[in-house]
Amino acid sequence: MTKKPLLGMTLAELKALAIRLNMPAFTGKQMATWLYDRHVKSIDEMTNISKDNRAKLSEEYEVGRADYIDAQYSKDGTIKYLFPTESGKFVETVYIPDRDRATLCVSCQVGCKMNCLFCQTGKQGFEGSLTVRDILNQIYALPEQDKLTNIVFMGQGEPMDNLDNVLKATEILTADYGYAWSPKRITVSSVGVKRKLKRFLDESDCHVAISMHSPFPEQRAALMPAEKGMSIQEIVDLLQEYDFSHQRRLSFEYIMFGGLNDSLTYAREIVKLVEGLDCRMNLIRFHQIPNVDLQTTDEKKMEAFRDYLCKHGVFTTIRASRGEDIFAACGLLSTARQIENTRKAKGGKTAIKGGEN
């Protein structure tokens, strides 16, 4: 019989499990402490639970920790890990140390349904959503776990497309019985999914990052098919209903493509689009992927774009690229093995028409 993981269970679920196995309800709290505070590898390490009760647990359950099976090391200190999932597939996770900060970019799906033109994960296609255990295991089994200061859900997959499990994972990360992290240490990204984004905003206190990439709907739809399901204007209108002026932060991600969306025409449109929102803009250099006819913009254009936005009241930064030499930078994650052959079978390169520059 395949054993079920304890990792990923909430305190309420652990207590219910204890009662079902005729253990005291407080055994659930003990399990939570061993899992999320002490990070044990086996049920036998839960030494304040009786030997008989540990034996009962072990008949059906295991901790559920799964170590990484591969690691790639960048010259800039970034490390990309490959983790197995419960379904027998694999997912990539990126550890990014930076002076006094250490960020983990976690994945929530194997592949992605969103199929953004510029993203390698989207070219992989969708192979399944991660379980709560799969999401937390990327942190639980990380060798640098004790060094982490921040977590970003910006790896493989669209968090709103796996919302139940993402919400449950962030609950465990922020709960007193769990990792007891502040929600301010966690950022969840999204392209914008109707109804799901609102639910996330209502049920979570974590920071939110919206993938914009173009303020013009028609062009954004060509870059990101999700625009047809929830437009950037609908997203902004929804965000206007929430207060981001205190603890919770709102940011927009904006990948810059040379000759496409990097002129001040776009900067002016962004200023109009986000007027009244307490937000920041993160500019990201495009990282080339095979058979997609998009180009990287130059540094001077990025700086001019940033300066214009800052001058007009939109706090803007240029995000440093990390791990590009190991395909760990933004938009490069993938665990597909036949991506190149799949693209060729579908007719080679994909191009997109630029706007006014």
Side-chain angles (χ1 to χ4, degrees):
M1 180 181 72
T2 302
K3 294 184 179 182
K4 292 171 279 190
L6 296 174
L7 181 63
M9 295 179 74
T10 64
L11 179 58
E13 290 170 332
L14 291 169
K15 285 182 176 179
L17 169 61
I19 292 169
R20 181 175 70 79
L21 295 179
N22 296 315
M23 302 176 189
F26 66 76
T27 307
K29 181 65 169 69
Q30 291 173 317
M31 284 189 277
T33 299
W34 286 112
L35 288 168
Y36 303 126
D37 183 40
R38 303 189 186 180
H39 311 120
V40 296
K41 296 182 181 180
S42 72
I43 289 172
D44 281 340
E45 294 177 69
M46 301 179 179
T47 51
N48 64 349
I49 298 175
S50 74
K51 190 173 181 179
D52 286 346
N53 283 340
R54 277 182 273 152
K56 279 185 194 176
L57 271 175
S58 296
E59 287 177 10
E60 296 182 44
Y61 292 88
E62 60 186 0
V63 165
R65 172 189 167 119
D67 289 330
Y68 68 90
I69 59 171
D70 189 31
Q72 294 179 302
Y73 299 85
S74 169
K75 60 187 177 184
D76 65 20
T78 299
I79 307 171
K80 183 171 71 172
Y81 290 104
L82 185 69
F83 283 104
T85 71
E86 286 192 77
S87 65
K89 299 184 185 296
F90 304 95
V91 72
E92 292 185 326
T93 307
V94 182
Y95 173 72
I96 310 166
D98 185 15
R99 297 186 292 276
D100 59 343
R101 290 169 60 91
T103 300
L104 188 68
C105 181
V106 301
S107 295
C108 64
Q109 294 180 318
V110 180
C112 185
K113 295 178 186 175
M114 300 300 115
N115 197 27
C116 296
L117 176 62
F118 47 83
C119 181
Q120 187 86 328
T121 307
K123 306 306 174 194
Q124 177 176 342
F126 177 69
E127 296 186 34
S129 288
L130 300 191
T131 64
V132 183
R133 173 265 176 203
D134 290 333
I135 295 171
L136 292 181
N137 186 66
Q138 296 169 72
I139 304 155
Y140 200 86
L142 185 79
E144 299 83 6
Q145 178 195 131
D146 291 341
K147 298 178 182 178
L148 288 180
T149 61
N150 299 85
I151 291 173
V152 294
F153 282 75
M154 296 182 181
Q156 292 180 255
E158 164 57 47
M160 301 305 129
D161 195 42
N162 189 17
L163 184 56
D164 286 340
N165 289 342
V166 168
L167 285 172
K168 197 169 169 184
T170 56
E171 175 193 331
I172 293 169
L173 286 168
T174 57
D176 289 341
Y177 71 80
Y179 285 72
W181 275 39
S182 165
K184 293 186 293 183
R185 297 172 64 181
I186 303 170
T187 301
V188 179
S189 71
S190 180
V191 298
V193 178
K194 196 168 286 188
R195 291 182 293 279
K196 299 290 186 69
L197 179 59
K198 176 172 173 51
R199 186 179 155 207
F200 171 77
L201 292 167
D202 289 339
E203 297 183 24
S204 173
D205 292 321
C206 295
H207 296 324
V208 61
I210 299 297
S211 299
M212 180 186 291
H213 311 313
S214 176
F216 296 105
E218 185 176 346
Q219 187 186 63
R220 187 172 185 265
L223 288 166
M224 306 168 62
E227 164 75 15
K228 298 168 187 174
M230 188 176 191
S231 70
I232 190 62
Q233 187 63 61
E234 288 178 287
I235 294 170
V236 169
D237 290 344
L238 175 63
L239 295 170
Q240 294 280 11
E241 299 174 14
Y242 296 83
D243 184 2
F244 296 99
S245 62
H246 299 293
Q247 298 279 330
R248 193 181 204 183
R249 190 173 67 218
L250 166 65
S251 58
F252 288 94
E253 310 293 303
Y254 193 89
I255 296 176
M256 298 194 70
F257 307 104
L260 182 72
N261 68 346
D262 58 351
S263 75
L264 295 187
T265 299
Y266 288 80
R268 286 190 286 271
E269 192 66 22
I270 288 172
V271 171
K272 290 191 290 183
L273 179 64
V274 303
E275 184 180 3
L277 271 179
D278 196 313
C279 65
R280 62 181 61 196
M281 187 75 56
N282 294 318
L283 305 182
I284 303 166
R285 184 168 60 83
F286 172 60
H287 304 107
Q288 201 76 43
I289 64 174
N291 298 299
V292 172
D293 191 17
L294 294 169
Q295 305 301 318
T296 300
T297 196
D298 63 65
E299 198 70 22
K300 286 185 178 179
K301 278 206 166 187
M302 292 188 78
E303 291 172 356
F305 205 95
R306 174 201 61 197
D307 294 346
Y308 182 92
L309 291 176
C310 286
K311 183 178 178 181
H312 290 82
V314 182
F315 179 74
T316 304
T317 59
I318 297 174
R319 184 187 293 168
S321 292
R322 299 292 301 274
E324 190 171 1
D325 56 328
I326 57 169
F327 295 93
C330 181
L332 297 183
L333 299 186
S334 176
T335 48
R337 295 182 178 179
Q338 300 295 329
I339 292 174
E340 187 64 28
N341 290 338
T342 300
R343 284 206 198 94
K344 288 178 179 177
K346 290 183 178 181
K349 290 190 176 185
T350 307
I352 180 172
K353 184 180 178 182
E356 181 182 347
N357 278 274

